[in-house]
Amino acid sequence: MSRVLVVDDEPAIVTLLQYNLEQADYQVVTAIDGEQALQLAQHEHFDVILLDLMLPKIDGVEVTKRLRQEKIQTPIIMITAKTSEFDTVFGLELGADDYITKPFSPREVLARMKAVMRRYHEDAAPVTTSDNGHVIQIAGLQIDQDKFQVKRGTTPIDLTPKEFELLLFFAKRPGKVWSREQLLEGVWGFDYSGQTRMVDIHVSHLREKIEVDPKHPQLLKTVRGFGYTFEAPHD
């Protein structure tokens, strides 16, 4: 049975989520503030965390930040009443996997949960790797799939968990053109056309970190009218 941590300071929201999740055969643990949520997530195993953005004591953004700093990679879906691009992108850049805005339907929450958990637990596709079997060396980058680390030469490149997933997805499939919808399905695990802006934002941030000149990318390129492709010149 999958375990879900539900974090919200509104009793009605907690009750709604707990009831529907338990009806769907999930084991639910609840928290009403960020401090409690952080303690639970640090010391117990959960398959997914439903995390409100605005919380007492420690807000959801700070909870996400601390968990990712501690290398706790449990999928996080932020629940927020805020709809500005800054709020949602900021949470995603810190390592949240998805977000849902209030008001929401329990059916939507369940669909999003299944999508992020499927992506998190699915086996990696077979790829050509270096001798140790875990490091992809491509376009001057070394991508360590076990340690979630990326380097160019001896210089580490600091990526968020979702940026790492996106780079890994491209690196395993160089030269192929991907639409934004395909990237949503392949990296985020869901296909909602209204969320394609999220792909553009992550691609832009990834370019800032892996390209020598992000304004004139040589690796992660835009294919106008189609999407994106990762070109891997011979080192």
Side-chain angles (χ1 to χ4, degrees):
M1 181 181 291
S2 297
R3 301 187 80 226
V4 183
L5 176 59
V6 174
V7 189
D8 201 299
D9 63 333
E10 295 183 50
I13 297 293
V14 173
T15 300
L16 175 69
L17 288 172
Q18 184 169 10
Y19 173 79
N20 283 276
L21 290 172
E22 288 178 346
Q23 289 296 305
D25 203 28
Y26 289 94
Q27 182 181 352
V28 180
V29 177
T30 65
I32 59 172
D33 61 59
E35 188 175 279
Q36 185 183 13
L38 192 60
Q39 289 291 322
L40 286 166
Q42 288 171 329
H43 298 101
E44 297 187 28
H45 168 75
F46 296 98
D47 294 281
V48 67
I49 300 172
L50 299 178
L51 180 66
D52 189 31
L53 181 63
M54 301 301 294
L55 292 168
K57 298 185 179 179
I58 306 173
D59 66 28
V61 169
E62 183 64 22
V63 171
T64 300
K65 179 180 178 181
R66 294 192 194 182
L67 291 177
R68 296 312 189 220
Q69 286 176 339
E70 296 176 19
K71 307 301 182 184
I72 296 173
Q73 301 299 327
T74 307
I76 295 173
I77 299 176
M78 283 193 160
I79 299 175
T80 175
K82 293 190 174 183
T83 56
S84 74
E85 185 173 84
F86 174 79
D87 293 318
T88 53
V89 170
F90 191 45
L92 292 167
E93 285 304 310
L94 287 174
D97 296 87
D98 195 6
Y99 69 92
I100 298 174
T101 55
K102 299 176 183 177
F104 55 80
S105 71
R107 183 176 180 179
E108 179 186 10
V109 175
L110 287 167
R112 297 291 188 95
M113 283 175 46
K114 290 177 181 177
V116 299
M117 287 192 293
R118 181 176 69 247
R119 179 61 191 166
Y120 180 75
H121 293 294
E122 71 179 3
D123 294 331
V127 296
T128 302
T129 61
S130 62
D131 291 341
N132 66 17
H134 302 282
V135 178
I136 297 176
Q137 300 194 43
I138 187 169
L141 302 172
Q142 297 87 47
I143 306 170
D144 192 317
Q145 301 178 80
D146 289 341
K147 297 180 180 178
F148 301 99
Q149 295 177 345
V150 178
K151 293 181 179 180
R152 175 176 279 111
T154 59
T155 303
I157 299 174
D158 187 23
L159 302 181
T160 67
K162 193 55 63 179
E163 288 167 354
F164 181 88
E165 284 188 60
L166 185 60
L167 175 60
L168 189 60
F169 183 91
F170 278 119
K172 289 179 177 181
R173 306 159 180 88
K176 183 175 176 62
V177 177
W178 299 92
S179 70
R180 292 166 177 81
E181 290 78 10
Q182 288 174 320
L183 290 170
L184 274 173
E185 177 64 29
V187 179
W188 280 266
F190 60 87
D191 182 10
Y192 293 103
S193 58
Q195 304 293 331
T196 54
R197 175 62 178 152
M198 184 162 61
V199 175
D200 295 332
I201 292 166
H202 278 78
V203 167
S204 176
H205 282 275
L206 183 57
R207 279 176 174 158
E208 290 289 336
K209 297 179 179 182
I210 67 170
E211 297 281 359
V212 175
D213 181 2
K215 293 183 178 180
H216 301 89
Q218 298 301 307
L219 303 178
L220 186 46
K221 296 185 176 182
T222 300
V223 181
R224 294 193 180 279
F226 293 95
Y228 297 102
T229 188
F230 187 83
E231 293 190 1
H234 295 293
D235 296 331

